[in-house]
Amino acid sequence: MEVIFSNEDLAMEILSRLSAKNLLRCKCVSKRWTSLISDPSFVRIHHQRSRCISGLLVQEFKEYGGNFRGDDYFLYASVNGELGIFKLMDESFPQLTSVVMASCDGLICYRSRRTRDVEVLDIVVWNPMTQERLTLRTTDCHVGSIFGLAFYPFGSSAKMIPSFKVVSIQRPKHDQNSYSFVIYSSETGKWKTSLEVCYCKDELHKNKHIYVNGRFYWLTKNQNIITFEVDEELSGVITVPGPKWLDRYVVRLACLGDSDGYLHYVCVDMPELRVWMLTDPCKPIWVLKHHVNIDQFGEESRDHYIHRVRHSPETIGDSFVVDAQNFHDEVVYLSIRGRLCSYDFKTGRLRFFFNGLYLRHMNKVQATVLPYTPTLATIGIPWLKQNSGSASISFASTSFNYLGRPRKKLKTRKT
């Protein structure tokens, strides 16, 4: 082993293919390995190769004036079989008081829940791999309840220092026909209200937004997409492709996603599922990339869930309910009759998650399903390290509590 790793190029080639979790273990082997794994050039190579997601962040909740329901939950659905992430998520996310907002290159953004007594929301940026988290509180600007996260693992300026931005989109206090934007930058440590205003009467979906290649995208309930270019602070409205739906409720049949740095729009137009790619956000130009007949999913679903079809109050007769949840790297994540599954367009494989969990179809707010990708680029970030206490990381496998349980109160540093 030492002979092989005496060749630094060969060592970098081998180690860069390991997961971030395993690389944390490898840093304990020797000082030489620690130095190699911590090298910026190695981190960049590993970041480019670790684009496959580790799992999905799944949350269902209701906010009724602070009355938390017992059937609200947060869980982590493993995609690659790394059970160690289960423990990190299960024990560290304060699910009873928080709502997941976004996930970007290994960082997670969540906010506190709205209650009768709390008017100012806490926004938290969290690194599950190191248990470092930074709590942001807005004191002199008006923000809403929808937040997006943009992480720059190798810097957003000439300094090449890792940084992030959190963007809040909301209606101005005295104007219900437009949207304003408030931005937090880790480089300045401050919030600022953008001068940009986007004129759009549509209502936003609470959890159908994404950050792709320098732009935020929010899906509206009138089949439009509001865009916001972060650096230039420019907004716009894009009309989605495909047929127009008259019923705003069926917006749950659509979702946003990304693949190869392009925005994708997924819609279920029975009996087809279609995936469109936005080739140019400035014009804009949509290209139909995939389409598949959903009826082919029916028999497999019916074999697995015939017991639920007979007893579920959300299924009428033999209706076939399909919700589009997310799309990432040519894989679409759906709920079929309430059960979370994935369909890989590259392989044509349909895969179901779990055995005892079903996403509620009739909820006013659709379940949040976000891809999570742990990367080495998030480890040892200065702006998080300076604002958090020490934290230990355990990768021991554990049984997962699907129903959730009360978490211990976690200490965070305010800024």
Side-chain angles (χ1 to χ4, degrees), residues 72-302:
D72 294 354
Y73 65 85
F74 167 86
L75 58 85
Y76 177 80
S78 178
V79 172
N80 62 5
E82 290 189 10
L83 297 179
I85 306 293
F86 270 137
K87 185 176 179 65
L88 293 177
M89 298 293 184
D90 185 42
E91 295 185 349
S92 302
F93 181 74
Q95 74 164 28
L96 297 182
T97 59
S98 304
V99 178
V100 175
M101 286 282 100
S103 173
C104 185
D105 280 337
L107 294 183
I108 296 173
C109 177
Y110 63 86
R111 64 165 174 85
S112 56
R113 294 201 187 195
R114 290 190 179 278
T115 67
R116 297 184 182 94
D117 302 323
V118 178
E119 295 182 0
V120 179
L121 297 177
D122 283 344
I123 303 96
V124 180
V125 177
W126 174 36
N127 182 359
M129 294 298 294
T130 62
Q131 292 305 304
E132 295 171 311
R133 65 191 74 210
L134 186 64
T135 301
L136 316 175
R137 177 165 292 173
T138 58
T139 57
D140 55 355
C141 54
H142 169 66
V143 299
S145 59
I146 302 176
F147 299 89
L149 173 66
F151 175 46
Y152 308 92
F154 306 105
S156 60
S157 62
K159 295 180 179 180
M160 301 300 290
I161 299 176
S163 62
F164 73 90
K165 291 182 180 179
V166 175
V167 174
S168 170
I169 182 173
Q170 59 282 312
R171 298 282 194 192
K173 291 183 178 180
H174 306 293
D175 183 3
Q176 295 301 306
N177 295 321
S178 64
Y179 285 95
S180 63
F181 307 90
V182 179
I183 308 168
Y184 176 88
S185 172
S186 65
E187 294 181 328
T188 63
K190 298 179 180 179
W191 291 90
K192 77 166 185 175
T193 301
S194 174
L195 298 178
E196 180 70 4
V197 176
C198 181
Y199 294 95
C200 181
K201 296 182 179 181
D202 299 354
E203 182 182 353
L204 294 180
H205 199 285
K206 293 183 180 297
N207 54 7
K208 289 182 180 288
H209 54 268
I210 193 171
Y211 171 77
V212 181
N213 200 19
R215 292 175 183 265
F216 284 98
Y217 300 89
W218 294 271
L219 183 63
T220 77
K221 293 186 177 181
N222 195 33
Q223 295 172 266
N224 291 311
I225 298 175
I226 294 178
T227 73
F228 183 70
E229 204 281 325
V230 185
D231 293 335
E232 300 296 330
E233 298 184 23
L234 296 176
S235 65
V237 178
I238 299 175
T239 301
V240 301
K244 274 285 186 180
W245 297 317
L246 298 179
D247 185 359
R248 293 193 306 169
Y249 177 74
V250 299
V251 72
R252 67 173 56 253
L253 301 178
C255 69
L256 302 178
D258 79 287
S259 183
D260 296 326
Y262 290 93
L263 176 72
H264 286 65
Y265 171 74
V266 182
C267 64
V268 178
D269 184 20
M270 297 297 287
E272 282 196 331
L273 182 147
R274 298 169 184 167
V275 179
W276 301 78
M277 181 176 69
L278 183 65
T279 59
D280 188 346
C282 298
K283 292 187 178 179
I285 299 176
W286 292 97
V287 174
L288 181 61
K289 191 174 184 180
H290 303 294
H291 63 92
V292 61
N293 194 308
I294 296 180
D295 288 341
Q296 69 182 12
F297 302 154
E299 290 303 322
E300 184 170 354
S301 174
R302 194 170 290 108

Side-chain angles (χ1 to χ4, degrees), residues 311-351:
H311 302 290
S312 172
E314 295 183 357
T315 308
I316 302 175
D318 197 30
S319 61
F320 192 48
V321 179
V322 180
D323 290 344
Q325 302 288 353
N326 209 305
F327 180 85
H328 184 78
D329 286 347
E330 305 308 309
V331 178
V332 62
Y333 297 93
L334 309 164
S335 60
I336 299 180
R337 288 202 176 103
R339 191 175 187 190
L340 185 63
C341 67
S342 65
Y343 179 78
D344 191 329
F345 284 98
K346 293 180 181 178
T347 64
R349 179 192 176 194
L350 180 69
R351 172 191 174 186

